[in-house]
Amino acid sequence: MSYTSAETMIAVAARSLPNHARIFVGIGLPNLAANLARKLYTPDNILIYEAGVIGAEPLRLPISIGDPCLVTGSLAVCSFHNIFANYLQRGLIDVGFLGGAQIDRYGNINTTVVGDYRNPKVRLGGSGGGCEIAIFAKKIITIIPHDLRHFPAKVDFITSPGFVGGRQNRTALKLPGGGPEKVITNLGVLEFDADGEMILTHVHPGVTVEKVRENTGWDLNVASEVKETDPPTPEELRVMREELDPDGVYLGRRKSKTA
Amino acid sequence: MSYTSAETMIAVAARSLPNHARIFVGIGLPNLAANLARKLYTPDNILIYEAGVIGAEPLRLPISIGDPCLVTGSLAVCSFHNIFANYLQRGLIDVGFLGGAQIDRYGNINTTVVGDYRNPKVRLGGSGGGCEIAIFAKKIITIIPHDLRHFPAKVDFITSPGFVGGRQNRTALKLPGGGPEKVITNLGVLEFDADGEMILTHVHPGVTVEKVRENTGWDLNVASEVKETDPPTPEELRVMREELDPDGVYLGRRKSKTA
Amino acid sequence: MQNDCEKKSKVMDLYTAVKKFIHNGDTIYLAGFTHLIPFGVAHEIIRQGIKDLILCRATPDLIYDQMIFAGCARKIIFSWSGNPGVGMLQGFRKRVEEGKLEIEEYTHFGLATRLLAGAHGMSFYPLKSIRGSDLPLYNHYIKTINCPYTGEEVTVVPALNPDVGVIHAQRADQEGNVHLWGIMGEQQEVAFASKKLIVTVEEIVDESVIRSDPNRTLIPGFLVDAVVELPWGAHPSYAQGYYDRDNAFYIKWDEISRDEEQVRQWLGEWVFGVANRQEYIQKLGAENILRLLPRNSFSNPVNFGIYL
Amino acid sequence: MQNDCEKKSKVMDLYTAVKKFIHNGDTIYLAGFTHLIPFGVAHEIIRQGIKDLILCRATPDLIYDQMIFAGCARKIIFSWSGNPGVGMLQGFRKRVEEGKLEIEEYTHFGLATRLLAGAHGMSFYPLKSIRGSDLPLYNHYIKTINCPYTGEEVTVVPALNPDVGVIHAQRADQEGNVHLWGIMGEQQEVAFASKKLIVTVEEIVDESVIRSDPNRTLIPGFLVDAVVELPWGAHPSYAQGYYDRDNAFYIKWDEISRDEEQVRQWLGEWVFGVANRQEYIQKLGAENILRLLPRNSFSNPVNFGIYL
């Protein structure tokens, strides 16, 4: 069964989630991965959306982070302030899913600006709740395409702090959450070493370590033994294609979404 | 038509309220006065209760400040924190009604303790929301029995600040609300002079200035012209007796209530 | 709150919930501002002889008076003590006057702010109240700082995060997703601020009832450690739409609580003399139940829409 | 908010409400997080040619992109700019990249905290976020203080109190007591924080509908200066239970907004080319209306009880 690298990325991300956890879910790829996991592996997870929706069970693929289909039949709705104060800052979120325009070796994410903040080359969306998710969630999983544009040596702007300048940096800042745990790309999986620096631990089927290094903007650390991820299973592909994204909005038949 | 001094006190308090105002109402005598005013003089006032009820229209006399009859058919209910933050601290309350165990010449109220705080003679209820009402409401009207016990030279404990040590004191503390405006007792009405000190402006029918001074624990200032209040009208008495307190719970047939 | 979301059943009986989650020396908050006061849990705490508790509550009320008399309390954190609508809180008052009960006292807004900070994961919050009162002379947790923008001096209070919070509500599903209406008091803040949470409800309902109106959900189930179906669990206080306050008992308590011997008898009869809440309700009797029932007044429904 | 509670009627048409309460140079907040976005008011502001506005909104969104293109904006205070679910916000982005639009930027939580402080009458509030990000380098309103209890450094932000807040909701009575459900966003905070408040609603209902469920009331009428009945007032965004988001338009805006000429044409046709919201809806047409209608899903009612 053929599959795309985007499908591998989602399947691997889905398998990385713990069960019995509270997941703060962004729309788009994180939403697909979290819902794939919920259907196949982690039925007891509670999905929480930035718009203030807890325990959503949408009857269609949500178009935006505030889609009405997320609300009808959900367990609870709370205000914009409460989702950050009562859920994130209070420390109730186990896993935060993030995307981004740039990520650096310490897992810092930029979604604010390419170039100088005051004289931008490309003005991006900004933090939204990204900074809060990065600061407060017990662990962060990032899903991001793997190329030199997305993996620069240094992000142009720290929107969502990872380990900042290294693990001791984050500790000194006393950021409540645990920080980055995994980065899942279309090439492989990266984790963080004792210093808080990214280290390649897995490549996807058919991807070489060299290819990953070529697509990374710094001299990437590589684990002594790099494993290969399992390809998407037929069941994973079926759920993704038939149940979660039947119109292919997120999985390649249309340009992928942000919100 | 005969009437009691408590009835005079309520009628005079009711007449002292502005119309088109947001009134923060304590249970008991303030509740009676605010509802008497609403029925006869100030139909457009919005009554707000500490339990978080806005625009109550109770079908019976509420027994406590959190009576279910206040909720059914009200305009809005909010949380305990919100009633203080969104309504009082935000400056939305025009008039706060207070009672108390002691009041001094500067309108400071004690509802905490008789005697020393750490070695109390009588332990009273404490602030509840009294301190907040005194600090934040645009004006404070106090209803309190007039005798040496209730009008000491100095309160044993400032629970709800009036002008503290004088009007300039309250200004220096930058307390947002305007402070005490009137004190209505069973003997008369007292206002506050330029220094924030209490001054007798009215006596009730049949009460002498001398009697008021005898029942006040300091050398009471008296206005150059002390007026006499109008006695309760037959209509005021009818509403009080037939509609508001048909069982005489607050108006003398049973011991008066606190909450 | 459960440390993880494991699907062990949270539905249990009152005895088990109290036994499992409330221990000697705990700081606990039995929530409810005049409404939905969890008397059922309080009586079970008394029956189980739990001691040295730090009892937090804006309005200590009859529920803490009974626990104080029964010897459960080491200290009270509060903002108004009284028998609402009736008078003083005699047990509390007497022990404070005799110097036998430690207190830590706030204004209502001060205590509510402590809870909000606890619920929001902040270590403190500022407020503009309390200044000008004498409370800060006797409570050194109440401090001041200057606003970093205006320079104005403001009051600050520290977060309150009880070991155990207790909520009574009208309905919840088996996971503890709570619908609560009428006076909302500090229940939501207590739920988010507390390390463990016991919820007792008039009715356990199907999840679909909760999901039909997610805006009504005050507390998400994952905060809840124990769900106990406990009809009339708030008597002698009330549950909006279910029963009225039993004011006759509030007045009677004013008499009982003036006399230690009468209190001992009352506790013997109504707390130790019944095995559980069901027996208490039996003992209360049909006549009292009927006397306290309101007539119906239903909310207009709202439409959430089905989006396909 | 009205300075007093005088019972002059607040019910007025859209033109009058905007004319009366929104003026050149005002700081305004059109509320609604992806839901109930007050497009009707935004279009009227554009039609009236109001200028030099400081536009505050967590998510500037299409509504502010249109106002930016139309020349209403002097500055944007925000926390995420984008076309939700579609991509970038082209007008906003282009003008920022060209240095033609002043911005003041926060995280979502930072901006929400500014509003909460404004709503609570505080001059600031602390939060534990933003630390570690680069935002404080470029926004000097974001400061730090030390917690007076733990010594920990925390972020602080100042209160936001807009001159005018604008809310769209499902229903209100003639006094402006608002029932709002579905995603609640920052509407309540905006209502309490703002000096004046315009409310547009899908339906003006009898006061008895509001009073049947006081827990549903998000905003008390006395905060409200103008009540406008404006069906489909949030299109192309949505109103939970009333209509769906018109996603086709969100996608179309992505194309239109890449080309100033197309934007001019669109504004000419859909904003300046219609006299009011009724004409806009007429122009939208029956087919589009029907396409966006959800099926019904009603909340289970709750009982408030009648207490006599």
Side-chain angles (χ1 to χ4, degrees):
Chain A
M1 202 171 192
S2 75
Y3 54 86
T4 67
S5 64
E7 286 168 336
T8 309
M9 181 162 67
I10 299 304
V12 171
R15 293 176 213 145
S16 76
L17 291 178
N19 197 8
H20 307 293
R22 295 178 284 267
I23 317 285
F24 206 95
V25 188
I27 222 66
L29 302 177
N31 188 47
L32 276 180
N35 278 290
L36 176 62
R38 198 160 182 276
K39 282 180 187 271
L40 296 180
Y41 308 120
T42 60
D44 304 316
N45 280 351
I46 292 173
L47 306 187
I48 297 178
Y49 293 83
E50 186 174 272
V53 182
I54 291 102
E57 295 195 346
L59 297 176
R60 70 180 183 201
L61 186 72
I63 291 165
S64 91
I65 208 165
D67 195 296
C69 74
L70 292 169
V71 170
T72 305
S74 67
L75 284 173
V77 173
C78 74
S79 78
F80 187 57
H81 185 272
N82 279 0
I83 199 75
F84 295 106
N86 284 342
Y87 290 83
L88 274 162
Q89 187 171 261
R90 182 69 180 95
L92 300 182
I93 302 300
D94 297 309
V95 179
F97 253 136
L98 288 173
Q102 297 181 334
I103 190 166
D104 69 16
R105 72 176 74 198
Y106 297 116
N108 301 305
I109 294 171
N110 175 18
T111 55
T112 299
V113 70
V114 178
D116 179 58
Y117 184 82
R118 291 212 178 84
N119 185 19
K121 206 182 304 174
V122 186
R123 172 65 222 199
L124 306 168
S127 165
C131 179
E132 279 77 36
I133 298 170
I135 286 177
F136 295 117
K138 287 181 193 153
K139 55 178 78 165
I140 295 298
I141 298 174
T142 304
I143 306 181
I144 188 167
H146 209 139
D147 56 37
L148 290 173
R149 194 160 62 82
H150 289 85
F151 280 73
K154 193 172 181 317
V155 293
D156 291 347
F157 188 99
I158 298 183
T159 310
S160 304
F163 292 115
V164 192
R167 203 176 285 265
Q168 79 293 348
N169 240 230
R170 187 174 173 107
T171 308
L173 279 165
K174 296 192 177 158
L175 302 186
E181 189 182 68
K182 275 186 185 164
V183 178
I184 294 161
T185 80
N186 52 320
L187 299 182
V189 178
L190 303 105
E191 298 183 7
F192 291 84
D193 68 14
D195 294 331
E197 190 171 331
M198 226 182 262
I199 179 166
L200 181 69
T201 59
H202 295 73
V203 290
H204 295 322
V207 176
T208 63
V209 168
E210 204 39 49
K211 181 169 180 194
V212 178
R213 291 174 58 93
E214 279 166 14
N215 282 282
T216 303
W218 66 90
D219 187 16
L220 180 65
N221 286 339
V222 176
S224 52
E225 188 195 2
V226 173
K227 295 175 192 152
E228 192 173 278
T229 57
D230 291 328
T233 65
E235 181 65 1
E236 285 169 342
L237 290 170
R238 188 193 63 73
V239 172
M240 274 191 266
R241 292 171 184 178
E242 292 175 22
E243 295 182 22
L244 294 175
D245 190 18
D247 301 329
V249 175
Y250 296 106
L251 289 170
R253 272 172 275 169
R254 243 188 67 202
K255 195 173 63 159
S256 84
K257 301 283 145 199
T258 57
Chain B
M1 203 169 190
S2 75
Y3 53 87
T4 67
S5 64
E7 286 167 337
T8 309
M9 181 162 68
I10 299 303
V12 171
R15 293 175 214 148
S16 74
L17 290 178
N19 196 8
H20 307 293
R22 295 179 284 268
I23 316 286
F24 206 95
V25 188
I27 222 65
L29 302 179
N31 187 48
L32 275 180
N35 277 291
L36 176 61
R38 197 158 183 276
K39 282 180 188 269
L40 296 180
Y41 309 119
T42 63
D44 304 317
N45 280 351
I46 292 173
L47 306 187
I48 297 178
Y49 293 82
E50 185 174 272
V53 182
I54 291 102
E57 294 194 346
L59 298 175
R60 70 179 183 201
L61 186 73
I63 291 163
S64 90
I65 208 166
D67 195 296
C69 74
L70 292 169
V71 170
T72 305
S74 67
L75 285 173
V77 173
C78 73
S79 77
F80 187 57
H81 185 272
N82 278 0
I83 200 75
F84 295 106
N86 284 343
Y87 291 82
L88 274 162
Q89 188 171 259
R90 182 69 181 94
L92 301 181
I93 302 301
D94 297 310
V95 180
F97 253 135
L98 288 173
Q102 296 181 334
I103 189 166
D104 68 16
R105 71 175 76 197
Y106 296 116
N108 302 304
I109 294 171
N110 174 18
T111 56
T112 300
V113 69
V114 177
D116 180 58
Y117 184 81
R118 292 212 178 85
N119 186 18
K121 206 182 306 177
V122 185
R123 172 66 222 198
L124 306 169
S127 165
C131 180
E132 279 77 35
I133 299 170
I135 285 177
F136 295 118
K138 287 180 193 154
K139 56 179 78 165
I140 295 297
I141 298 174
T142 304
I143 306 182
I144 188 168
H146 211 139
D147 56 37
L148 290 173
R149 194 159 62 85
H150 288 86
F151 281 72
K154 194 173 180 314
V155 292
D156 291 346
F157 188 99
I158 299 183
T159 310
S160 305
F163 292 114
V164 192
R167 203 177 283 265
Q168 78 293 349
N169 239 228
R170 186 174 174 108
T171 308
L173 279 165
K174 296 193 176 158
L175 302 186
E181 190 182 70
K182 274 186 186 163
V183 179
I184 294 161
T185 79
N186 53 319
L187 299 181
V189 178
L190 304 105
E191 299 183 6
F192 291 84
D193 67 16
D195 295 330
E197 189 171 332
M198 226 183 261
I199 178 167
L200 181 70
T201 59
H202 296 73
V203 289
H204 296 322
V207 176
T208 62
V209 169
E210 203 39 48
K211 181 169 181 194
V212 178
R213 290 174 59 94
E214 280 167 13
N215 281 282
T216 303
W218 66 90
D219 187 15
L220 179 66
N221 286 339
V222 177
S224 52
E225 187 194 3
V226 174
K227 293 174 194 155
E228 190 171 279
T229 57
D230 291 328
T233 65
E235 182 65 0
E236 286 168 342
L237 290 170
R238 188 193 63 73
V239 172
M240 276 191 264
R241 293 172 185 177
E242 291 175 23
E243 296 181 23
L244 295 173
D245 189 19
D247 299 331
V249 175
Y250 296 105
L251 290 169
R253 271 172 275 167
R254 246 188 64 203
K255 194 172 61 158
S256 83
K257 300 286 144 197
T258 58
Chain C
M1 179 190 48
Q2 288 183 263
N3 284 330
D4 52 41
C5 294
E6 275 190 57
K7 272 234 157 90
K8 47 199 174 207
S9 173
K10 301 171 184 176
V11 177
M12 56 186 84
D13 65 20
L14 180 60
Y15 174 86
T16 308
V18 169
K19 194 80 187 168
K20 198 165 170 188
F21 295 110
I22 303 183
H23 304 105
N24 290 345
D26 278 353
T27 297
I28 69 175
Y29 198 119
L30 276 59
F33 188 82
T34 70
H35 177 212
L36 295 168
I37 303 174
F39 276 94
V41 171
H43 289 181
E44 186 58 35
I45 290 171
I46 294 173
R47 264 196 297 275
Q48 294 190 17
I50 303 173
K51 303 283 179 212
D52 292 325
L53 296 169
I54 297 182
L55 297 177
C56 315
R57 222 178 116 71
T59 54
D61 211 299
L62 274 57
I63 188 172
Y64 279 3
D65 218 29
Q66 293 174 358
M67 291 175 75
I68 290 167
F69 274 119
C72 304
R74 173 158 67 90
K75 177 179 172 180
I76 311 284
I77 298 178
F78 78 108
S79 47
W80 186 78
S81 74
N83 179 334
V86 177
M88 305 254 212
L89 202 57
Q90 303 298 344
F92 171 88
R93 171 195 168 182
K94 195 174 159 201
R95 275 159 183 72
V96 172
E97 289 170 7
E98 290 169 351
K100 289 182 180 160
L101 183 64
E102 191 186 345
I103 59 172
E104 183 184 319
E105 183 167 4
Y106 296 88
T107 64
H108 270 352
F109 190 24
L111 189 58
T113 302
R114 289 200 62 185
L115 281 173
L116 193 73
H120 285 180
M122 277 303 300
S123 52
F124 76 103
Y125 262 148
L127 69 161
K128 292 189 175 180
S129 187
I130 311 187
R131 287 178 299 166
S133 89
D134 284 343
L135 263 183
L137 301 175
Y138 302 98
N139 180 341
H140 298 298
Y141 292 110
I142 303 170
K143 300 186 181 190
T144 59
I145 63 170
N146 293 307
C147 169
Y149 301 95
T150 64
E152 186 192 356
E153 188 175 281
V154 296
T155 301
V156 288
V157 291
L160 180 59
N161 291 105
D163 295 313
V164 189
V166 179
I167 305 292
H168 186 73
Q170 285 102 336
R171 67 191 182 198
D173 64 20
Q174 298 209 344
E175 285 300 303
N177 295 289
V178 170
H179 275 187
L180 184 158
W181 60 96
I183 290 168
M184 299 191 292
E186 75 290 62
Q187 274 99 337
Q188 189 175 50
E189 288 78 8
V190 168
F192 279 90
S194 298
K195 292 164 199 157
K196 296 279 176 187
L197 184 63
I198 297 174
V199 169
T200 65
V201 289
E202 292 297 320
E203 313 183 59
I204 292 180
V205 296
D206 191 78
E207 192 181 311
S208 63
V209 174
I210 303 297
R211 287 188 186 270
S212 83
D213 193 355
N215 285 93
R216 183 85 67 192
T217 307
L218 203 68
I219 299 166
F222 67 71
L223 291 176
V224 179
D225 295 279
V227 180
V228 181
E229 190 170 70
L230 204 66
W232 290 66
H235 179 273
S237 85
Y238 73 99
Q240 189 85 39
Y242 287 72
Y243 45 93
D244 199 353
R245 174 167 123 157
D246 191 347
N247 200 48
F249 180 77
Y250 276 69
I251 292 169
K252 195 172 165 199
W253 181 256
D254 189 56
E255 293 170 35
I256 294 171
S257 60
R258 289 165 193 269
D259 174 3
E260 302 266 347
E261 181 48 35
Q262 276 196 60
V263 171
R264 223 178 343 264
Q265 281 177 22
W266 185 87
L267 288 173
E269 186 177 347
W270 286 91
V271 180
F272 296 108
V274 296
N276 51 40
R277 196 67 179 171
Q278 289 84 329
E279 286 191 17
Y280 174 96
I281 301 302
Q282 281 292 329
K283 189 170 161 60
L284 193 62
E287 201 177 332
N288 279 317
I289 301 269
L290 290 172
R291 173 173 60 88
L292 296 170
L293 293 179
R295 304 199 326 216
N296 292 329
S297 174
F298 289 100
S299 62
N300 268 49
V302 301
N303 189 4
F304 280 86
I306 297 175
Y307 292 87
L308 299 171
Chain D
M1 178 190 47
Q2 287 182 265
N3 283 332
D4 53 41
C5 293
E6 274 191 56
K7 272 233 157 93
K8 48 198 172 210
S9 175
K10 301 170 184 177
V11 177
M12 56 187 84
D13 64 22
L14 180 60
Y15 173 86
T16 309
V18 169
K19 195 80 187 168
K20 197 164 170 188
F21 295 111
I22 304 185
H23 304 104
N24 290 345
D26 278 353
T27 298
I28 69 174
Y29 198 119
L30 276 58
F33 188 81
T34 72
H35 178 211
L36 295 169
I37 303 176
F39 276 94
V41 171
H43 290 182
E44 186 59 34
I45 291 171
I46 294 173
R47 263 195 298 276
Q48 294 190 17
I50 302 173
K51 305 282 180 212
D52 291 325
L53 296 170
I54 297 182
L55 298 178
C56 315
R57 222 178 115 73
T59 55
D61 211 297
L62 275 57
I63 189 172
Y64 280 2
D65 218 28
Q66 295 173 357
M67 292 175 76
I68 289 167
F69 274 120
C72 305
R74 172 157 67 89
K75 178 179 173 180
I76 311 284
I77 299 178
F78 78 109
S79 48
W80 185 79
S81 73
N83 179 333
V86 178
M88 305 255 212
L89 203 56
Q90 303 298 343
F92 171 89
R93 170 194 167 182
K94 196 173 159 203
R95 275 159 182 72
V96 172
E97 289 170 6
E98 292 170 349
K100 290 182 181 160
L101 183 64
E102 191 185 346
I103 58 171
E104 183 184 319
E105 184 168 3
Y106 296 87
T107 64
H108 270 353
F109 190 24
L111 189 58
T113 302
R114 289 199 62 184
L115 281 172
L116 193 74
H120 285 180
M122 276 304 299
S123 53
F124 77 103
Y125 262 148
L127 69 163
K128 292 190 176 181
S129 189
I130 313 185
R131 287 179 300 166
S133 89
D134 284 343
L135 264 183
L137 300 175
Y138 302 98
N139 180 341
H140 297 299
Y141 293 110
I142 302 170
K143 300 187 180 188
T144 59
I145 62 170
N146 293 306
C147 167
Y149 301 95
T150 64
E152 186 192 358
E153 189 176 280
V154 297
T155 302
V156 289
V157 291
L160 179 60
N161 291 103
D163 295 314
V164 189
V166 179
I167 305 291
H168 185 73
Q170 285 102 336
R171 66 189 183 202
D173 64 19
Q174 300 209 343
E175 285 299 304
N177 296 289
V178 171
H179 275 188
L180 185 157
W181 59 97
I183 290 169
M184 299 190 291
E186 75 290 62
Q187 275 98 338
Q188 190 175 50
E189 288 79 6
V190 168
F192 279 91
S194 298
K195 292 164 200 157
K196 295 281 176 186
L197 184 63
I198 296 173
V199 169
T200 65
V201 289
E202 292 297 318
E203 315 182 59
I204 293 180
V205 296
D206 191 78
E207 192 181 313
S208 64
V209 174
I210 303 297
R211 288 189 185 270
S212 82
D213 193 355
N215 286 93
R216 184 85 67 193
T217 307
L218 204 67
I219 299 166
F222 67 72
L223 292 175
V224 179
D225 295 279
V227 180
V228 181
E229 190 170 68
L230 203 68
W232 289 67
H235 180 274
S237 85
Y238 74 99
Q240 189 84 39
Y242 287 73
Y243 45 94
D244 199 353
R245 173 167 123 157
D246 191 347
N247 201 48
F249 181 77
Y250 276 69
I251 292 169
K252 197 173 165 199
W253 182 256
D254 188 56
E255 292 169 37
I256 295 170
S257 61
R258 288 167 194 270
D259 174 3
E260 302 267 347
E261 181 48 35
Q262 276 196 59
V263 170
R264 220 175 348 260
Q265 280 177 23
W266 185 86
L267 288 173
E269 187 178 346
W270 287 89
V271 180
F272 295 109
V274 295
N276 51 40
R277 196 68 180 172
Q278 289 84 328
E279 286 190 18
Y280 173 97
I281 301 301
Q282 282 291 330
K283 189 171 161 61
L284 192 63
E287 201 176 332
N288 279 316
I289 302 269
L290 289 171
R291 173 173 61 86
L292 297 170
L293 293 179
R295 305 202 322 218
N296 291 329
S297 175
F298 290 100
S299 62
N300 267 50
V302 302
N303 190 3
F304 279 86
I306 297 175
Y307 292 87
L308 299 171

